[in-house]
C-alpha cells in the first residue's frame, strides 16, 4: 500500500477548517451549543 502525502499542512488544514466553520457553519449551530463538539461530514463519493 502506497503512503499518501498530505495535501495540506496541519496548520493549513486547521486554518481552512476555521474559515469553513466561520463562513458556513457557525450561524447554524452556535446558539445554545457553546462548548459542544461539532462533527462535519463532507461526504465521500
Amino acid at each position: 500500500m502506497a503512503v499518501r502525502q498530505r495535501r495540506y499542512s496541519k496548520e493549513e488544514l486547521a486554518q481552512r477548517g476555521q474559515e469553513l466553520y466561520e463562513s458556513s457553519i457557525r450561524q447554524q449551530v452556535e446558539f445554545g451549543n457553546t462548548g459542544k463538539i461539532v462533527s462535519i461530514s463532507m461526504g465521500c463519493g
Side-chain angles (χ1 to χ4, degrees), residues 21 25-26 29-40:
Y21 177 78
I25 300 167
R26 184 178 188 162
V29 300
E30 190 166 87
F31 182 76
N33 293 304
T34 302
K36 295 183 180 177
I37 296 172
V38 175
S39 176
I40 305 165

Side-chain angles (χ1 to χ4, degrees), residues 9-27:
S9 69
K10 290 179 184 180
E11 294 80 12
E12 246 183 321
L13 188 59
Q15 180 181 356
R16 291 172 61 90
Q18 187 65 39
E19 289 170 357
L20 176 64
Y21 177 78
E22 294 294 336
S23 68
S24 303
I25 300 167
R26 184 178 188 162
Q27 66 273 12

